[in-house]
Amino acid sequence: MRNFYKAGRSVTYGLTGAVATSNTQASQAALSILKSGGNAMDAAIAACAIQCVVDPMQTGIGGDCFALVAMGGGSEIEGLNGSGKAPMALTADYLLSNGMDKMDPTNIHSVTIPGAIDAWTRLHEKYGTMDFADILQPAIDYAENGFVVTQRTSVDWEGAVGKLLKNKAATDIYLNNGKPPAAGTVWRLPKLAATLKAIAKQGRAAFYEGDLAEQMADSLKAAGGLHEADDFAATGADFVTPIHSEYQGHRIHQIPPSGQGITALIMLNILKRFDLDGLDPNGAKRLHLEAEAARLAYLARNKYIADPTKADVPTEMLLSEEFAEHLCGYIEVGKAGDPTGADALERHRDTVYLSVVDKDRNAVSFINSLFQDFGSGIACPQTGVIFQNRGYGFVVDPDHPNCVAPGKRPMHTIIPGMVTKNGKAAISYGVMGGGYQPVGHAHVLTNIWDYGMDVQEAIDSPRAFYNAGILEVEEGIPANVRAELTAMGYQLADTTMPLGGAQFIAIDPETGVLSGGSESRKDGCAIAY
């Protein structure tokens, strides 16, 4: 094994259970649940609920949730698509007739119905062991009694002030006299606490039926939306059969479309046709091949991925070896390819991913998101819920499979990952960063399998993202490598923030040792015991 370790964060090791989240309080609460007899799903929901309070720009109960689950550490992976849908009254004709030929991330019509709470309750009903009210209690405590804003959270909060000021309810709930909280500030969300209490007591019905649903629908209509209480009542997450691909004896599992997980699999299908392990992991040729794989995989994503219940998505073709071989024909080694049509969505870093493995080796790969900072920036004044802007993932083109339509899910960027090998769950993992996520999946997995990095080294390794014809590079990419990439024809741009975070838990099949890694550029916290 090559040793890439540099003084910094170590891998966390354990034998009984492990948690990896992007927040210390969430990881601590999840660990406490595991130690008190709860299972991985109980811990995952509790951790996510906490982050919906203490990281309100990153995630929330007004967002969506996806999950992959390996019960008992086996290779039978189950998936859940907990993404919400467009309101039944929203059509492309309506948008076009009102002068909107593309989706606007801060427009009311970018708000799809939140799917997270429905997803949590369905996951809990199928896999959980603890009382749902007990699972939500730590999050309720933080919302009601207050939490201390971290340095990283304060930076993200400050960056969203302009959006929050456009909506009175969001201003009242998330700003103080028009200002965001500084690091070290105690912040309370009493209205959100009351909403969480209602959900803890009454479950899904509290959120999607009755007063809360009426209040949320009314607030959206007051902002010009076409949302109705019936749209909330009709919301339902779907258990789905994961899709997969193979890489170096491992099987990588992803949620099928409407999610973009297939993009990561297409990338890996391309990359396994090149001798990556003979390359410098931070060198120009490795980053070049990764960029070209991304360019082509995102082109396929943007052309084909949509809600499969509303459009024909050729999943089998996209995952085929023949398609990967065809795409490889458009890669000229040493030269940047034509970026035309290969645009990824704009940068969306506001998602939380977490992973939990318990003593019975139940493994949960869990992701929850508002999409952009504070989602749409539109909040419900009575419930404290801030709404996602997932509808920005639609296009407004009646001939495109991902065109906005009543009751349709948009192409979705959040993608939990799971790896199996020899009939057992081997890695529960995910990468945050919206459109970047498929690249992040491919980058970290190839760091482990091609370069022998441990999970923490793989996460911390410098990253690049080929996005809309620009190759964004993190500061860890050396100057000589940048020069080589420029000579290949790439237009480089420095990233002002990390491209994406990640959390990984790996399970050693021989010793049973759990190894956890978390994003060191943010507030990631992996704990094992």
Side-chain angles (χ1 to χ4, degrees), residues 75-77 242-254 261-274 276 316 318-321 324 418-424 426 429 441-442 445-446 449-450:
S75 61
E76 294 299 317
I77 311 302
I243 54 176
H244 64 265
S245 188
E246 311 289 331
Y247 194 99
Q248 291 195 10
H250 299 82
R251 176 165 288 184
I252 306 95
H253 303 262
Q254 295 281 350
I262 196 170
T263 316
L265 300 182
I266 295 171
M267 282 191 66
L268 289 168
N269 283 345
I270 294 171
L271 290 171
K272 69 186 179 185
R273 286 165 164 76
F274 297 91
L276 294 188
E316 184 175 349
L318 293 171
L319 289 174
S320 70
E321 297 297 335
M418 188 79 74
V419 174
T420 58
K421 184 176 183 180
N422 297 331
K424 295 182 178 180
Y429 76 99
H441 280 228
L445 290 175
T446 54
W449 297 330
D450 288 306

Side-chain angles (χ1 to χ4, degrees), residues 32-380:
S32 177
I33 282 179
L34 293 182
K35 288 187 172 183
S36 65
N39 73 0
M41 185 58 72
D42 301 325
I45 295 171
C48 184
I50 287 172
Q51 292 200 251
C52 288
V53 175
V54 304
D55 288 325
M57 73 294 301
Q58 304 285 351
T59 193
I61 63 174
D64 285 343
C65 171
F66 283 33
L68 289 169
V69 184
M71 297 304 289
S75 61
E76 294 299 317
I77 311 302
E78 299 175 286
L80 182 97
N81 181 333
S83 59
K85 302 173 182 177
M88 290 302 295
L90 185 63
T91 65
D93 287 343
Y94 173 85
L95 294 175
L96 291 168
S97 66
N98 283 275
M100 291 174 274
D101 61 358
K102 61 182 180 180
M103 301 303 293
D104 180 334
T106 59
N107 186 282
I108 185 62
H109 301 303
S110 72
V111 178
T112 47
I113 305 300
I117 294 300
D118 184 83
W120 297 3
T121 55
R122 288 174 188 261
L123 289 166
H124 177 258
E125 288 168 3
K126 187 167 185 178
Y127 306 111
T129 61
M130 291 178 58
D131 186 87
F132 196 62
D134 292 336
I135 291 172
L136 294 188
Q137 190 56 50
I140 293 169
D141 289 342
Y142 279 117
E144 189 168 45
N145 301 318
F147 59 93
V148 181
V149 176
T150 68
Q151 290 174 314
R152 175 54 197 257
T153 298
S154 71
V155 171
D156 292 338
W157 210 316
E158 184 175 6
V161 168
K163 177 187 287 188
L164 296 171
L165 286 171
K166 294 178 181 179
N167 179 262
K168 184 179 186 305
T171 299
D172 292 344
I173 295 168
Y174 290 103
L175 298 176
N176 182 12
N177 294 321
K179 303 292 184 182
T185 301
V186 177
W187 199 263
R188 296 175 178 83
L189 296 169
K191 292 180 179 179
L192 185 60
T195 297
L196 287 169
K197 284 181 179 180
I199 296 167
K201 184 177 181 180
Q202 302 171 24
R204 178 197 180 280
F207 191 85
Y208 294 99
E209 303 169 21
D211 291 344
L212 296 184
E214 291 282 356
Q215 290 165 353
M216 287 188 287
D218 288 347
S219 68
L220 291 168
K221 285 188 285 187
L226 304 178
H227 309 73
E228 299 289 346
D230 286 347
D231 293 316
F232 281 80
T235 296
D238 294 319
F239 284 99
V240 295
T241 300
I243 54 176
H244 64 265
S245 188
E246 311 289 331
Y247 194 99
Q248 291 195 10
H250 299 82
R251 176 165 288 184
I252 306 95
H253 303 262
Q254 295 281 350
I255 298 289
S258 56
Q260 68 166 344
I262 196 170
T263 316
L265 300 182
I266 295 171
M267 282 191 66
L268 289 168
N269 283 345
I270 294 171
L271 290 171
K272 69 186 179 185
R273 286 165 164 76
F274 297 91
D275 184 20
L276 294 188
D277 63 359
L279 303 177
D280 178 349
N282 297 323
K285 189 171 181 181
R286 188 270 176 109
L287 296 176
H288 158 59
L289 292 173
E290 190 175 272
E292 291 304 294
R295 176 178 66 87
L296 295 163
Y298 280 81
L299 175 61
R301 181 199 74 168
N302 293 348
K303 182 175 181 179
Y304 294 112
I305 303 308
D307 183 343
T309 68
K310 303 287 185 179
D312 182 18
V313 182
T315 300
E316 184 175 349
M317 181 276 288
L318 293 171
L319 289 174
S320 70
E321 297 297 335
E322 291 79 11
F323 184 63
E325 194 66 39
H326 169 76
L327 293 179
C328 283
Y330 290 86
I331 296 176
E332 184 176 345
V333 177
K335 182 179 179 181
D338 180 2
T340 303
D343 295 353
L345 296 181
E346 292 180 0
R347 283 184 261 171
H348 311 298
R349 312 194 194 292
D350 301 296
T351 297
V352 298
Y353 170 81
L354 58 94
S355 180
V356 184
V357 177
D358 63 25
K359 62 182 175 58
D360 297 316
R361 293 305 182 259
N362 299 313
V364 177
S365 183
F366 195 103
I367 195 163
N368 208 96
S369 176
L370 289 170
F371 203 21
Q372 295 180 322
D373 290 326
F374 286 105
S376 63
I378 299 168
C380 173

